[in-house]
Amino acid sequence: MKAGGIDSSRIESMLAQMRAAAQRPQTEGIANLAAPIGADKSTGKLDFADALKASLNQVNEVQKSAETLGKNFALGDDSVSLSDVMIAGQKANISFQATIQVRNKLVSAYQDIMSMQI
């Protein structure tokens, strides 16, 4: 059963891997709620600037990793499979889109606060 020269079982396998990878960030985020990024261990307070910076750095690292995998695959590295490249690209896309949504919410909250009467 080939669809356009590609085995359909491999396509189903890649789709299953992508679905599994899409579910991982949600469960990892729940596990990280116990010790939030940027939390001060001595006082238990959360520093917003540190948390935001750490989150942006994490998104940047995911994007760099996806780009490196893509370059290695394009250069013919046999240790990198197409499914790994696609999954890394989707992870980078999802994390970037989530960052965009957080930014939009922050801008909206800022505008709401600035339009309040004193």
Side-chain angles (χ1 to χ4, degrees):
M1 298 226 149
K2 293 203 175 217
I6 299 176
D7 187 12
S8 61
S9 64
R10 277 192 58 100
I11 293 173
E12 291 299 321
S13 172
M14 282 194 281
L15 285 173
Q17 287 177 353
M18 289 176 73
R19 287 184 189 115
Q23 294 300 319
R24 272 189 229 130
Q26 293 173 353
T27 57
E28 289 172 2
I30 292 169
N32 289 338
L33 287 177
I37 297 172
D40 185 6
K41 305 260 191 268
S42 61
T43 62
K45 293 183 181 179
L46 180 67
D47 185 14
F48 180 76
D50 289 341
L52 184 62
K53 185 175 181 178
S55 296
L56 291 175
N57 285 338
Q58 186 177 14
V59 169
N60 188 35
E61 290 301 318
V62 169
Q63 288 183 333
K64 284 180 181 178
S65 173
E67 182 180 357
T68 301
L69 277 176
K71 283 181 181 178
N72 289 345
F73 181 78
L75 291 173
D77 187 355
D78 291 336
S79 66
V80 179
S81 68
L82 177 60
S83 60
D84 291 340
V85 174
M86 296 302 292
I87 290 170
Q90 287 300 314
K91 283 182 182 180
N93 185 28
I94 290 168
S95 64
F96 183 69
Q97 292 300 322
T99 303
I100 296 285
Q101 293 299 319
V102 169
R103 182 210 55 185
N104 291 344
K105 291 289 183 180
L106 288 171
V107 168
S108 176
Y110 176 77
Q111 289 173 342
D112 289 345
I113 290 170
M114 293 307 290
S115 66
M116 287 182 183
Q117 295 290 327
I118 299 178

